[in-house]
């Protein structure tokens, strides 16, 4: 299994409880794909260094997990299609 980090930025007009529910849904989807979630770090609302889709801020969440190489494909596709997610990125820390 490989170690991964998933950084996700959610829309600022969402309520914090909605964002936390979305993060829980992402964790469940990762677990369904065979991943083992190690830690979730919710950063809250932060200002961007530059505009993204004409917005200046968003909610940040970082999920640390271990998974096989192909286990993140479905989650990646779902996050790409989600209207609530502005940006997401999978990172392999080393």
């Amino acid at each position: 299994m490989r170690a991964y980090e998933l950084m996700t930025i959610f829309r600022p007009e969402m309520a914090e409880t909605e964002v936390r529910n979305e993060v829980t849904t992402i964790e469940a989807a990762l677990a369904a794909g065979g991943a083992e979630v190690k830690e979730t770090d919710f950063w809250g609302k932060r200002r961007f260094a530059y505009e993204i889709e004409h917005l200046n801020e968003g909610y940040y969440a970082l999920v640390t997990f271990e998974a096989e190489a192909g286990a993140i494909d479905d989650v990646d596709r779902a996050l790409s299609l989600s209207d609530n997610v502005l940006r997401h990125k999978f990172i392999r820390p080393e």
Side-chain angles (χ1 to χ4, degrees):
M1 300 233 305
R2 298 177 173 178
Y4 290 96
E5 292 179 349
L6 169 61
M7 173 63 74
T8 311
I9 305 173
F10 295 93
R11 300 189 75 74
E13 58 268 4
M14 295 175 66
E16 186 173 328
T17 54
E18 291 178 51
V19 175
R20 289 186 184 271
N21 288 338
E22 290 276 336
V23 172
T24 304
T25 304
I26 292 169
E27 291 173 348
L30 287 169
E36 182 181 338
V37 176
K38 298 290 185 185
E39 183 182 357
T40 301
D41 191 12
F42 184 73
W43 292 6
K45 193 181 276 190
R46 302 281 176 105
R47 289 194 58 79
F48 299 148
Y50 55 90
E51 281 189 0
I52 299 175
E53 297 180 17
H54 304 290
L55 298 171
N56 293 318
E57 60 186 8
Y59 288 97
Y60 283 74
L62 178 70
V63 179
T64 306
F65 63 97
E66 289 184 355
E68 296 297 328
I72 62 173
D73 294 338
D74 292 336
V75 176
D76 185 33
R77 183 172 183 277
L79 290 174
S80 296
L81 296 174
S82 175
D83 292 333
N84 292 329
V85 176
L86 293 174
R87 294 278 194 277
H88 74 281
K89 184 166 188 128
F90 288 94
I91 303 162
R92 288 213 35 224
E94 283 292 323

